[in-house]
Amino acid sequence: MKEVRVYIQLKQGILDPQGKAVSGALQQLGFPVNGARVGKEIVLEIEADTDQQALELAEEMCRKLLANPVVEDFRCTLGEG
Amino acid sequence: MKEVRVYIQLKQGILDPQGKAVSGALQQLGFPVNGARVGKEIVLEIEADTDQQALELAEEMCRKLLANPVVEDFRCTLGEG
């Protein structure tokens, strides 16, 4: 069993209203924030023999289901962190 | 300007219906997945002089606004990643 973390963010240039709301709320609270982007972190438990195989499966899952390639970028990393 | 990434996940033991839906959908597609947890990745642009100061600000933002400490855990890391 391998743990793969998938990170999905809107592509640069795509309007991110959730990020704008977060950044505005932080500024209201007095925090020195110039911007925020909100994306997803998905932690997957994958049955795979090798790290490489687990990563390839995760990338295929992103392309087929998890990410919208028109407006989102994704990256996959192994294990904690 | 420092870039800090904040990761927010439901605590262990808290029911995660979104993760269950993702894991079920991946299994339906034939992927060998045993579980999925869905959380948030927030990328913050913070005005700070040092890395340490930026991280401390990000942690304070999590406690005050971004995370719900009753049901969520968070971690903050600097820069790309």
mmCIF file of all heavy atoms in Angstrom, chain A residues 13-63:
data_model
loop_
_atom_site.group_PDB
_atom_site.id
_atom_site.type_symbol
_atom_site.label_atom_id
_atom_site.label_comp_id
_atom_site.label_asym_id
_atom_site.label_seq_id
_atom_site.Cartn_x
_atom_site.Cartn_y
_atom_site.Cartn_z
ATOM 1 N N GLY A 13 -4.091 32.525 -13.997
ATOM 2 C CA GLY A 13 -4.919 33.294 -14.912
ATOM 3 C C GLY A 13 -6.391 32.951 -14.830
ATOM 4 O O GLY A 13 -7.228 33.685 -15.341
ATOM 5 N N ILE A 14 -6.704 31.806 -14.186
ATOM 6 C CA ILE A 14 -8.110 31.449 -13.996
ATOM 7 C C ILE A 14 -8.606 32.132 -12.716
ATOM 8 O O ILE A 14 -7.947 32.067 -11.687
ATOM 9 C CB ILE A 14 -8.286 29.911 -13.857
ATOM 10 C CG1 ILE A 14 -7.711 29.185 -15.057
ATOM 11 C CG2 ILE A 14 -9.756 29.567 -13.635
ATOM 12 C CD1 ILE A 14 -8.575 29.204 -16.279
ATOM 13 N N LEU A 15 -9.752 32.786 -12.804
ATOM 14 C CA LEU A 15 -10.290 33.507 -11.655
ATOM 15 C C LEU A 15 -10.568 32.543 -10.502
ATOM 16 O O LEU A 15 -11.183 31.496 -10.702
ATOM 17 C CB LEU A 15 -11.594 34.204 -12.080
ATOM 18 C CG LEU A 15 -12.100 35.276 -11.117
ATOM 19 C CD1 LEU A 15 -11.178 36.489 -11.135
ATOM 20 C CD2 LEU A 15 -13.502 35.689 -11.501
ATOM 21 N N ASP A 16 -10.113 32.909 -9.303
ATOM 22 C CA ASP A 16 -10.267 32.045 -8.131
ATOM 23 C C ASP A 16 -11.034 32.808 -7.053
ATOM 24 O O ASP A 16 -10.457 33.420 -6.162
ATOM 25 C CB ASP A 16 -8.877 31.637 -7.639
ATOM 26 C CG ASP A 16 -8.940 30.803 -6.369
ATOM 27 O OD1 ASP A 16 -10.048 30.440 -5.939
ATOM 28 O OD2 ASP A 16 -7.872 30.516 -5.797
ATOM 29 N N PRO A 17 -12.379 32.786 -7.113
ATOM 30 C CA PRO A 17 -13.165 33.578 -6.164
ATOM 31 C C PRO A 17 -12.960 33.145 -4.717
ATOM 32 O O PRO A 17 -12.973 33.975 -3.818
ATOM 33 C CB PRO A 17 -14.619 33.344 -6.600
ATOM 34 C CG PRO A 17 -14.587 32.376 -7.712
ATOM 35 C CD PRO A 17 -13.195 32.022 -8.058
ATOM 36 N N GLN A 18 -12.730 31.841 -4.510
ATOM 37 C CA GLN A 18 -12.527 31.363 -3.134
ATOM 38 C C GLN A 18 -11.225 31.936 -2.561
ATOM 39 O O GLN A 18 -11.171 32.369 -1.416
ATOM 40 C CB GLN A 18 -12.489 29.828 -3.142
ATOM 41 C CG GLN A 18 -12.843 29.211 -1.799
ATOM 42 C CD GLN A 18 -12.714 27.698 -1.781
ATOM 43 O OE1 GLN A 18 -12.542 27.065 -2.838
ATOM 44 N NE2 GLN A 18 -12.783 27.111 -0.619
ATOM 45 N N GLY A 19 -10.186 31.953 -3.395
ATOM 46 C CA GLY A 19 -8.915 32.533 -2.980
ATOM 47 C C GLY A 19 -9.044 34.021 -2.692
ATOM 48 O O GLY A 19 -8.487 34.530 -1.713
ATOM 49 N N LYS A 20 -9.786 34.723 -3.535
ATOM 50 C CA LYS A 20 -10.001 36.160 -3.319
ATOM 51 C C LYS A 20 -10.735 36.404 -1.994
ATOM 52 O O LYS A 20 -10.406 37.339 -1.258
ATOM 53 C CB LYS A 20 -10.850 36.732 -4.466
ATOM 54 C CG LYS A 20 -10.043 37.341 -5.596
ATOM 55 C CD LYS A 20 -10.862 38.398 -6.350
ATOM 56 C CE LYS A 20 -10.085 39.634 -6.700
ATOM 57 N NZ LYS A 20 -8.886 39.424 -7.473
ATOM 58 N N ALA A 21 -11.720 35.554 -1.692
ATOM 59 C CA ALA A 21 -12.467 35.703 -0.443
ATOM 60 C C ALA A 21 -11.554 35.469 0.759
ATOM 61 O O ALA A 21 -11.589 36.210 1.746
ATOM 62 C CB ALA A 21 -13.648 34.732 -0.420
ATOM 63 N N VAL A 22 -10.708 34.423 0.669
ATOM 64 C CA VAL A 22 -9.783 34.116 1.770
ATOM 65 C C VAL A 22 -8.822 35.271 1.971
ATOM 66 O O VAL A 22 -8.591 35.745 3.090
ATOM 67 C CB VAL A 22 -9.007 32.811 1.464
ATOM 68 C CG1 VAL A 22 -7.800 32.670 2.382
ATOM 69 C CG2 VAL A 22 -9.926 31.611 1.608
ATOM 70 N N SER A 23 -8.253 35.764 0.868
ATOM 71 C CA SER A 23 -7.284 36.839 0.966
ATOM 72 C C SER A 23 -7.935 38.107 1.532
ATOM 73 O O SER A 23 -7.375 38.783 2.407
ATOM 74 C CB SER A 23 -6.674 37.020 -0.422
ATOM 75 O OG SER A 23 -6.313 38.318 -0.672
ATOM 76 N N GLY A 24 -9.159 38.424 1.092
ATOM 77 C CA GLY A 24 -9.861 39.591 1.617
ATOM 78 C C GLY A 24 -10.161 39.462 3.109
ATOM 79 O O GLY A 24 -9.984 40.417 3.869
ATOM 80 N N ALA A 25 -10.564 38.275 3.524
ATOM 81 C CA ALA A 25 -10.895 38.062 4.935
ATOM 82 C C ALA A 25 -9.641 38.185 5.806
ATOM 83 O O ALA A 25 -9.681 38.755 6.900
ATOM 84 C CB ALA A 25 -11.534 36.685 5.117
ATOM 85 N N LEU A 26 -8.507 37.662 5.308
ATOM 86 C CA LEU A 26 -7.263 37.766 6.077
ATOM 87 C C LEU A 26 -6.824 39.225 6.199
ATOM 88 O O LEU A 26 -6.362 39.665 7.259
ATOM 89 C CB LEU A 26 -6.161 36.922 5.428
ATOM 90 C CG LEU A 26 -6.339 35.405 5.560
ATOM 91 C CD1 LEU A 26 -5.358 34.660 4.660
ATOM 92 C CD2 LEU A 26 -6.157 34.958 7.011
ATOM 93 N N GLN A 27 -6.968 39.982 5.113
ATOM 94 C CA GLN A 27 -6.610 41.404 5.161
ATOM 95 C C GLN A 27 -7.496 42.153 6.158
ATOM 96 O O GLN A 27 -7.014 42.986 6.921
ATOM 97 C CB GLN A 27 -6.714 42.018 3.758
ATOM 98 C CG GLN A 27 -5.555 41.604 2.848
ATOM 99 C CD GLN A 27 -5.853 41.812 1.373
ATOM 100 O OE1 GLN A 27 -6.913 42.312 1.005
ATOM 101 N NE2 GLN A 27 -4.912 41.421 0.514
ATOM 102 N N GLN A 28 -8.782 41.836 6.163
ATOM 103 C CA GLN A 28 -9.705 42.444 7.134
ATOM 104 C C GLN A 28 -9.250 42.211 8.565
ATOM 105 O O GLN A 28 -9.453 43.041 9.435
ATOM 106 C CB GLN A 28 -11.103 41.834 6.965
ATOM 107 C CG GLN A 28 -11.846 42.293 5.735
ATOM 108 C CD GLN A 28 -12.589 43.597 5.943
ATOM 109 O OE1 GLN A 28 -13.025 43.877 7.036
ATOM 110 N NE2 GLN A 28 -12.663 44.410 4.900
ATOM 111 N N LEU A 29 -8.664 41.038 8.792
ATOM 112 C CA LEU A 29 -8.186 40.711 10.137
ATOM 113 C C LEU A 29 -6.830 41.351 10.424
ATOM 114 O O LEU A 29 -6.273 41.180 11.498
ATOM 115 C CB LEU A 29 -8.070 39.187 10.305
ATOM 116 C CG LEU A 29 -9.381 38.412 10.374
ATOM 117 C CD1 LEU A 29 -9.120 36.913 10.358
ATOM 118 C CD2 LEU A 29 -10.143 38.781 11.644
ATOM 119 N N GLY A 30 -6.277 42.073 9.432
ATOM 120 C CA GLY A 30 -5.021 42.779 9.661
ATOM 121 C C GLY A 30 -3.776 42.006 9.257
ATOM 122 O O GLY A 30 -2.652 42.440 9.527
ATOM 123 N N PHE A 31 -3.941 40.850 8.599
ATOM 124 C CA PHE A 31 -2.764 40.075 8.184
ATOM 125 C C PHE A 31 -2.156 40.652 6.902
ATOM 126 O O PHE A 31 -2.891 41.065 5.996
ATOM 127 C CB PHE A 31 -3.138 38.607 7.943
ATOM 128 C CG PHE A 31 -3.385 37.825 9.193
ATOM 129 C CD1 PHE A 31 -4.664 37.402 9.527
ATOM 130 C CD2 PHE A 31 -2.345 37.513 10.054
ATOM 131 C CE1 PHE A 31 -4.900 36.687 10.681
ATOM 132 C CE2 PHE A 31 -2.576 36.787 11.217
ATOM 133 C CZ PHE A 31 -3.847 36.377 11.531
ATOM 134 N N PRO A 32 -0.816 40.700 6.802
ATOM 135 C CA PRO A 32 -0.147 41.250 5.623
ATOM 136 C C PRO A 32 -0.107 40.249 4.478
ATOM 137 O O PRO A 32 0.938 39.704 4.131
ATOM 138 C CB PRO A 32 1.265 41.559 6.149
ATOM 139 C CG PRO A 32 1.493 40.531 7.206
ATOM 140 C CD PRO A 32 0.154 40.253 7.831
ATOM 141 N N VAL A 33 -1.282 40.019 3.875
ATOM 142 C CA VAL A 33 -1.402 39.015 2.816
ATOM 143 C C VAL A 33 -1.689 39.714 1.493
ATOM 144 O O VAL A 33 -2.533 40.597 1.432
ATOM 145 C CB VAL A 33 -2.551 38.037 3.148
ATOM 146 C CG1 VAL A 33 -2.850 37.145 1.968
ATOM 147 C CG2 VAL A 33 -2.183 37.208 4.354
ATOM 148 N N ASN A 34 -0.978 39.335 0.455
ATOM 149 C CA ASN A 34 -1.204 39.951 -0.856
ATOM 150 C C ASN A 34 -2.028 39.086 -1.799
ATOM 151 O O ASN A 34 -2.438 39.550 -2.854
ATOM 152 C CB ASN A 34 0.126 40.261 -1.534
ATOM 153 C CG ASN A 34 0.694 41.560 -1.013
ATOM 154 O OD1 ASN A 34 0.043 42.252 -0.244
ATOM 155 N ND2 ASN A 34 1.900 41.887 -1.424
ATOM 156 N N GLY A 35 -2.198 37.820 -1.459
ATOM 157 C CA GLY A 35 -2.980 36.973 -2.345
ATOM 158 C C GLY A 35 -3.090 35.578 -1.759
ATOM 159 O O GLY A 35 -2.282 35.167 -0.925
ATOM 160 N N ALA A 36 -4.116 34.870 -2.210
ATOM 161 C CA ALA A 36 -4.301 33.491 -1.767
ATOM 162 C C ALA A 36 -4.937 32.711 -2.896
ATOM 163 O O ALA A 36 -5.767 33.232 -3.643
ATOM 164 C CB ALA A 36 -5.182 33.443 -0.522
ATOM 165 N N ARG A 37 -4.501 31.467 -3.062
ATOM 166 C CA ARG A 37 -5.162 30.572 -4.008
ATOM 167 C C ARG A 37 -5.564 29.322 -3.253
ATOM 168 O O ARG A 37 -4.779 28.783 -2.474
ATOM 169 C CB ARG A 37 -4.222 30.235 -5.171
ATOM 170 C CG ARG A 37 -4.127 31.399 -6.183
ATOM 171 C CD ARG A 37 -3.196 31.072 -7.334
ATOM 172 N NE ARG A 37 -1.830 30.888 -6.860
ATOM 173 C CZ ARG A 37 -1.053 29.880 -7.183
ATOM 174 N NH1 ARG A 37 -1.485 28.947 -8.008
ATOM 175 N NH2 ARG A 37 0.164 29.803 -6.713
ATOM 176 N N VAL A 38 -6.781 28.868 -3.503
ATOM 177 C CA VAL A 38 -7.293 27.721 -2.765
ATOM 178 C C VAL A 38 -7.420 26.533 -3.711
ATOM 179 O O VAL A 38 -8.053 26.635 -4.762
ATOM 180 C CB VAL A 38 -8.669 28.037 -2.131
ATOM 181 C CG1 VAL A 38 -9.212 26.819 -1.414
ATOM 182 C CG2 VAL A 38 -8.552 29.205 -1.165
ATOM 183 N N GLY A 39 -6.770 25.449 -3.348
ATOM 184 C CA GLY A 39 -6.860 24.229 -4.141
ATOM 185 C C GLY A 39 -7.156 23.038 -3.255
ATOM 186 O O GLY A 39 -7.548 23.193 -2.108
ATOM 187 N N LYS A 40 -6.947 21.848 -3.811
ATOM 188 C CA LYS A 40 -7.270 20.633 -3.070
ATOM 189 C C LYS A 40 -6.020 19.802 -2.809
ATOM 190 O O LYS A 40 -5.103 19.777 -3.631
ATOM 191 C CB LYS A 40 -8.253 19.779 -3.883
ATOM 192 C CG LYS A 40 -9.705 20.107 -3.567
ATOM 193 C CD LYS A 40 -10.650 19.310 -4.433
ATOM 194 C CE LYS A 40 -10.772 19.952 -5.793
ATOM 195 N NZ LYS A 40 -11.857 19.386 -6.612
ATOM 196 N N GLU A 41 -6.010 19.136 -1.673
ATOM 197 C CA GLU A 41 -5.012 18.094 -1.396
ATOM 198 C C GLU A 41 -5.779 16.797 -1.187
ATOM 199 O O GLU A 41 -6.614 16.711 -0.290
ATOM 200 C CB GLU A 41 -4.208 18.438 -0.139
ATOM 201 C CG GLU A 41 -3.193 17.366 0.224
ATOM 202 C CD GLU A 41 -2.584 17.523 1.618
ATOM 203 O OE1 GLU A 41 -3.342 17.777 2.587
ATOM 204 O OE2 GLU A 41 -1.375 17.378 1.760
ATOM 205 N N ILE A 42 -5.502 15.807 -2.024
ATOM 206 C CA ILE A 42 -6.179 14.516 -1.885
ATOM 207 C C ILE A 42 -5.139 13.461 -1.519
ATOM 208 O O ILE A 42 -4.132 13.317 -2.211
ATOM 209 C CB ILE A 42 -6.899 14.124 -3.195
ATOM 210 C CG1 ILE A 42 -7.868 15.227 -3.619
ATOM 211 C CG2 ILE A 42 -7.650 12.801 -3.026
ATOM 212 C CD1 ILE A 42 -8.559 14.978 -4.944
ATOM 213 N N VAL A 43 -5.369 12.784 -0.398
ATOM 214 C CA VAL A 43 -4.451 11.737 0.052
ATOM 215 C C VAL A 43 -5.044 10.393 -0.350
ATOM 216 O O VAL A 43 -6.140 10.047 0.086
ATOM 217 C CB VAL A 43 -4.251 11.792 1.578
ATOM 218 C CG1 VAL A 43 -3.201 10.783 2.010
ATOM 219 C CG2 VAL A 43 -3.855 13.194 2.017
ATOM 220 N N LEU A 44 -4.317 9.665 -1.204
ATOM 221 C CA LEU A 44 -4.825 8.405 -1.749
ATOM 222 C C LEU A 44 -4.041 7.218 -1.205
ATOM 223 O O LEU A 44 -2.808 7.267 -1.120
ATOM 224 C CB LEU A 44 -4.688 8.406 -3.282
ATOM 225 C CG LEU A 44 -5.484 9.450 -4.055
ATOM 226 C CD1 LEU A 44 -4.972 9.534 -5.493
ATOM 227 C CD2 LEU A 44 -6.964 9.119 -4.036
ATOM 228 N N GLU A 45 -4.760 6.166 -0.826
ATOM 229 C CA GLU A 45 -4.124 4.896 -0.461
ATOM 230 C C GLU A 45 -4.231 3.982 -1.672
ATOM 231 O O GLU A 45 -5.319 3.549 -2.023
ATOM 232 C CB GLU A 45 -4.846 4.253 0.729
ATOM 233 C CG GLU A 45 -4.927 5.103 1.973
ATOM 234 C CD GLU A 45 -3.586 5.261 2.662
ATOM 235 O OE1 GLU A 45 -2.732 4.359 2.507
ATOM 236 O OE2 GLU A 45 -3.388 6.286 3.326
ATOM 237 N N ILE A 46 -3.092 3.719 -2.317
ATOM 238 C CA ILE A 46 -3.111 2.980 -3.579
ATOM 239 C C ILE A 46 -2.404 1.639 -3.415
ATOM 240 O O ILE A 46 -1.325 1.563 -2.838
ATOM 241 C CB ILE A 46 -2.400 3.809 -4.688
ATOM 242 C CG1 ILE A 46 -3.137 5.135 -4.879
ATOM 243 C CG2 ILE A 46 -2.341 3.032 -6.006
ATOM 244 C CD1 ILE A 46 -2.493 6.044 -5.918
ATOM 245 N N GLU A 47 -3.043 0.585 -3.945
ATOM 246 C CA GLU A 47 -2.410 -0.742 -3.977
ATOM 247 C C GLU A 47 -1.435 -0.780 -5.139
ATOM 248 O O GLU A 47 -1.857 -0.840 -6.298
ATOM 249 C CB GLU A 47 -3.460 -1.835 -4.203
ATOM 250 C CG GLU A 47 -4.454 -2.044 -3.113
ATOM 251 C CD GLU A 47 -3.945 -2.993 -2.030
ATOM 252 O OE1 GLU A 47 -2.749 -3.374 -2.080
ATOM 253 O OE2 GLU A 47 -4.734 -3.333 -1.146
ATOM 254 N N ALA A 48 -0.138 -0.737 -4.857
ATOM 255 C CA ALA A 48 0.847 -0.777 -5.935
ATOM 256 C C ALA A 48 2.127 -1.404 -5.398
ATOM 257 O O ALA A 48 2.412 -1.328 -4.194
ATOM 258 C CB ALA A 48 1.118 0.625 -6.458
ATOM 259 N N ASP A 49 2.877 -2.041 -6.289
ATOM 260 C CA ASP A 49 4.106 -2.717 -5.866
ATOM 261 C C ASP A 49 5.255 -1.734 -5.705
ATOM 262 O O ASP A 49 6.083 -1.865 -4.819
ATOM 263 C CB ASP A 49 4.478 -3.800 -6.885
ATOM 264 C CG ASP A 49 3.439 -4.915 -6.898
ATOM 265 O OD1 ASP A 49 2.856 -5.179 -5.830
ATOM 266 O OD2 ASP A 49 3.220 -5.500 -7.975
ATOM 267 N N THR A 50 5.312 -0.753 -6.590
ATOM 268 C CA THR A 50 6.439 0.179 -6.552
ATOM 269 C C THR A 50 5.926 1.616 -6.443
ATOM 270 O O THR A 50 4.790 1.922 -6.767
ATOM 271 C CB THR A 50 7.288 0.075 -7.836
ATOM 272 O OG1 THR A 50 6.479 0.518 -8.944
ATOM 273 C CG2 THR A 50 7.729 -1.349 -8.105
ATOM 274 N N ASP A 51 6.831 2.479 -5.955
ATOM 275 C CA ASP A 51 6.501 3.906 -5.865
ATOM 276 C C ASP A 51 6.139 4.457 -7.237
ATOM 277 O O ASP A 51 5.186 5.228 -7.394
ATOM 278 C CB ASP A 51 7.708 4.679 -5.320
ATOM 279 C CG ASP A 51 7.963 4.357 -3.856
ATOM 280 O OD1 ASP A 51 7.156 3.624 -3.249
ATOM 281 O OD2 ASP A 51 8.983 4.828 -3.321
ATOM 282 N N GLN A 52 6.929 4.065 -8.237
ATOM 283 C CA GLN A 52 6.716 4.559 -9.597
ATOM 284 C C GLN A 52 5.324 4.210 -10.105
ATOM 285 O O GLN A 52 4.617 5.044 -10.659
ATOM 286 C CB GLN A 52 7.809 3.948 -10.503
ATOM 287 C CG GLN A 52 7.804 4.454 -11.922
ATOM 288 C CD GLN A 52 7.979 5.976 -11.991
ATOM 289 O OE1 GLN A 52 8.604 6.570 -11.137
ATOM 290 N NE2 GLN A 52 7.399 6.598 -13.010
ATOM 291 N N GLN A 53 4.936 2.954 -9.852
ATOM 292 C CA GLN A 53 3.609 2.497 -10.288
ATOM 293 C C GLN A 53 2.509 3.281 -9.574
ATOM 294 O O GLN A 53 1.518 3.677 -10.204
ATOM 295 C CB GLN A 53 3.490 0.998 -9.957
ATOM 296 C CG GLN A 53 2.378 0.289 -10.690
ATOM 297 C CD GLN A 53 2.142 -1.120 -10.125
ATOM 298 O OE1 GLN A 53 2.900 -1.602 -9.278
ATOM 299 N NE2 GLN A 53 1.093 -1.768 -10.587
ATOM 300 N N ALA A 54 2.684 3.535 -8.285
ATOM 301 C CA ALA A 54 1.677 4.280 -7.523
ATOM 302 C C ALA A 54 1.534 5.688 -8.091
ATOM 303 O O ALA A 54 0.419 6.200 -8.262
ATOM 304 C CB ALA A 54 2.072 4.330 -6.048
ATOM 305 N N LEU A 55 2.676 6.321 -8.392
ATOM 306 C CA LEU A 55 2.620 7.683 -8.943
ATOM 307 C C LEU A 55 1.945 7.708 -10.300
ATOM 308 O O LEU A 55 1.154 8.609 -10.598
ATOM 309 C CB LEU A 55 4.039 8.243 -9.072
ATOM 310 C CG LEU A 55 4.626 8.866 -7.814
ATOM 311 C CD1 LEU A 55 6.056 9.320 -8.080
ATOM 312 C CD2 LEU A 55 3.791 10.034 -7.321
ATOM 313 N N GLU A 56 2.251 6.705 -11.130
ATOM 314 C CA GLU A 56 1.632 6.671 -12.460
ATOM 315 C C GLU A 56 0.123 6.473 -12.360
ATOM 316 O O GLU A 56 -0.650 7.109 -13.090
ATOM 317 C CB GLU A 56 2.269 5.568 -13.312
ATOM 318 C CG GLU A 56 3.589 6.028 -13.925
ATOM 319 C CD GLU A 56 4.414 4.879 -14.502
ATOM 320 O OE1 GLU A 56 3.845 3.780 -14.696
ATOM 321 O OE2 GLU A 56 5.624 5.081 -14.745
ATOM 322 N N LEU A 57 -0.299 5.602 -11.431
ATOM 323 C CA LEU A 57 -1.741 5.410 -11.218
ATOM 324 C C LEU A 57 -2.393 6.716 -10.767
ATOM 325 O O LEU A 57 -3.463 7.094 -11.255
ATOM 326 C CB LEU A 57 -1.974 4.319 -10.161
ATOM 327 C CG LEU A 57 -1.916 2.883 -10.672
ATOM 328 C CD1 LEU A 57 -1.823 1.920 -9.508
ATOM 329 C CD2 LEU A 57 -3.160 2.568 -11.513
ATOM 330 N N ALA A 58 -1.735 7.418 -9.839
ATOM 331 C CA ALA A 58 -2.312 8.665 -9.321
ATOM 332 C C ALA A 58 -2.458 9.686 -10.451
ATOM 333 O O ALA A 58 -3.467 10.399 -10.529
ATOM 334 C CB ALA A 58 -1.441 9.216 -8.196
ATOM 335 N N GLU A 59 -1.451 9.744 -11.329
ATOM 336 C CA GLU A 59 -1.538 10.710 -12.431
ATOM 337 C C GLU A 59 -2.682 10.351 -13.384
ATOM 338 O O GLU A 59 -3.379 11.225 -13.887
ATOM 339 C CB GLU A 59 -0.199 10.786 -13.178
ATOM 340 C CG GLU A 59 0.786 11.660 -12.409
ATOM 341 C CD GLU A 59 2.221 11.551 -12.893
ATOM 342 O OE1 GLU A 59 2.447 11.053 -14.016
ATOM 343 O OE2 GLU A 59 3.121 11.952 -12.135
ATOM 344 N N GLU A 60 -2.866 9.053 -13.591
ATOM 345 C CA GLU A 60 -3.980 8.641 -14.441
ATOM 346 C C GLU A 60 -5.327 8.991 -13.782
ATOM 347 O O GLU A 60 -6.265 9.419 -14.451
ATOM 348 C CB GLU A 60 -3.878 7.126 -14.686
ATOM 349 C CG GLU A 60 -4.607 6.669 -15.935
ATOM 350 C CD GLU A 60 -4.582 5.150 -16.058
ATOM 351 O OE1 GLU A 60 -3.629 4.501 -15.576
ATOM 352 O OE2 GLU A 60 -5.547 4.607 -16.634
ATOM 353 N N MET A 61 -5.407 8.815 -12.457
ATOM 354 C CA MET A 61 -6.649 9.175 -11.744
ATOM 355 C C MET A 61 -6.941 10.665 -11.895
ATOM 356 O O MET A 61 -8.095 11.064 -12.054
ATOM 357 C CB MET A 61 -6.502 8.840 -10.254
ATOM 358 C CG MET A 61 -6.428 7.366 -9.957
ATOM 359 S SD MET A 61 -6.157 7.079 -8.184
ATOM 360 C CE MET A 61 -5.316 5.494 -8.253
ATOM 361 N N CYS A 62 -5.886 11.476 -11.840
ATOM 362 C CA CYS A 62 -6.079 12.924 -12.005
ATOM 363 C C CYS A 62 -6.632 13.222 -13.381
ATOM 364 O O CYS A 62 -7.572 14.004 -13.531
ATOM 365 C CB CYS A 62 -4.759 13.664 -11.829
ATOM 366 S SG CYS A 62 -4.261 13.762 -10.112
ATOM 367 N N ARG A 63 -6.026 12.588 -14.406
ATOM 368 C CA ARG A 63 -6.469 12.880 -15.768
ATOM 369 C C ARG A 63 -7.894 12.403 -16.004
ATOM 370 O O ARG A 63 -8.672 13.043 -16.704
ATOM 371 C CB ARG A 63 -5.520 12.226 -16.784
ATOM 372 C CG ARG A 63 -4.170 12.951 -16.920
ATOM 373 C CD ARG A 63 -3.399 12.444 -18.117
ATOM 374 N NE ARG A 63 -3.074 11.031 -17.974
ATOM 375 C CZ ARG A 63 -1.976 10.561 -17.398
ATOM 376 N NH1 ARG A 63 -1.067 11.398 -16.934
ATOM 377 N NH2 ARG A 63 -1.756 9.283 -17.304
#
